[in-house]
Amino acid sequence: MNHAWKRLRAEGVDVWIDVSATAEGAAREVRRALAQGEVAGARMGAPQDDSAAGGTPADELRRACDQLLPRHRASGGTKGFVSAPLPPAPAHGAAAWTARARALRDAVDRPNLVVRIPAEAADTATLRALFALDVAVEVSGVCSPRRYGQAATALLSALSTPEGPTRTASFLSFDVTGVERHVDARLDLIGSDEAKALRGRAGLACARLAHRTHEMTFSSARWGALAAAGTPEPKLLWVTGGASPYRSAHYVQELVTRGTATAMRPAAARALAEAGTVSGDRVWRHYADAERTLAYLDWFGISVETVTRSAQQERTESPAPRATPRPHRATHHPHRRLTPA
């Protein structure tokens, strides 16, 4: 694992440990990851109530923040973050999200905490209210290029406040697997060899085009003025936790590009170390191929944006799971290669 992480860092990619599938024992997973190599961040699940053990829901987050705090200080506040989702509630809007963010910030009381909100809630007003709390923000749940552009534009607007540019860190996380399952299901219904040949390609195509959108948004004159005033550039964070460990590791090695971050579950990190190859940028030169993939899907009548909206509606209408899933345990495969499913 250490060698794979070194290769990612050499290519300019920050490594995050993703324990968002379960918050139980999250600090333990962060500690294990730190023992393997340099960790730039951690992506956590919702705080669990451990009052039976004499703790509070924020204790696990505080412990994880403390583990990464030396990295945060050594980097001048650019790394060593811990991202945690804000709890859901019936009320929405800037005031409701700000109240939840303030409560979590005060409970954890660490400078490297990042509050995570869904993209559908991340309008300019809400983001500005969160930045006013002097807390870092992650906009999550983006899985299409168009939606990424909307989120990036809202974030760019929010970074320029009436009081002046903010100097708080921010992240835009792209769910690489968020749309692919739904696209592949439609391709399976079509059933032709040509349709099946497109399986497993939508996620990477959308991710690469989202990166192009990021580069265009944050190379504009509008962003240049904010950067000159000292505003940290929002970081694109790849999230692949919805896939199997080897599939997730495949995504990681195919989305290597300087200036981004990648969040891996522990099992995926082991799979990358075991069978992965990290060598050079795999995003910039693949923009044209990504466009062709979406054009092929459109020829079959599959619109990524339509599928994304359907997937978002499904997530919104589905009840929250009652039980926390167990972490996936990776199986050892001595000579397995990381290839598309």
Side-chain angles (χ1 to χ4, degrees), residues 198-273:
L198 289 172
R199 293 188 84 261
R201 293 174 60 180
L204 284 175
C206 289
R208 285 164 173 157
L209 293 180
H211 180 269
R212 183 176 66 179
T213 298
H214 183 97
E215 291 298 300
M216 293 173 62
T217 303
F218 296 104
S219 62
S220 63
R222 185 181 182 188
W223 165 250
L226 290 172
T231 301
E233 180 176 338
K235 179 152 287 191
L236 171 51
L237 173 64
W238 309 116
V239 178
T240 61
S244 67
Y246 279 90
R247 183 66 176 164
S248 176
H250 169 72
Y251 287 135
V252 169
Q253 70 179 21
E254 290 298 314
L255 291 172
V256 170
T257 188
R258 187 166 298 278
T260 60
T262 188
M264 290 184 287
R265 290 180 300 166
R270 290 190 290 270
L272 182 69

Side-chain angles (χ1 to χ4, degrees), residues 69-125:
L69 197 54
R71 176 64 176 147
H72 185 70
R73 290 169 174 163
S75 67
T78 62
K79 302 182 191 297
F81 291 100
V82 176
S83 171
L86 292 179
H92 296 285
W97 287 108
T98 303
R100 279 170 263 175
R102 183 184 293 108
L104 185 61
R105 180 202 64 181
D106 293 347
V108 176
D109 192 26
R110 295 295 185 272
N112 54 336
L113 174 69
V114 180
V115 297
R116 188 159 77 241
I117 65 171
E120 57 269 20
D123 55 39
T124 298

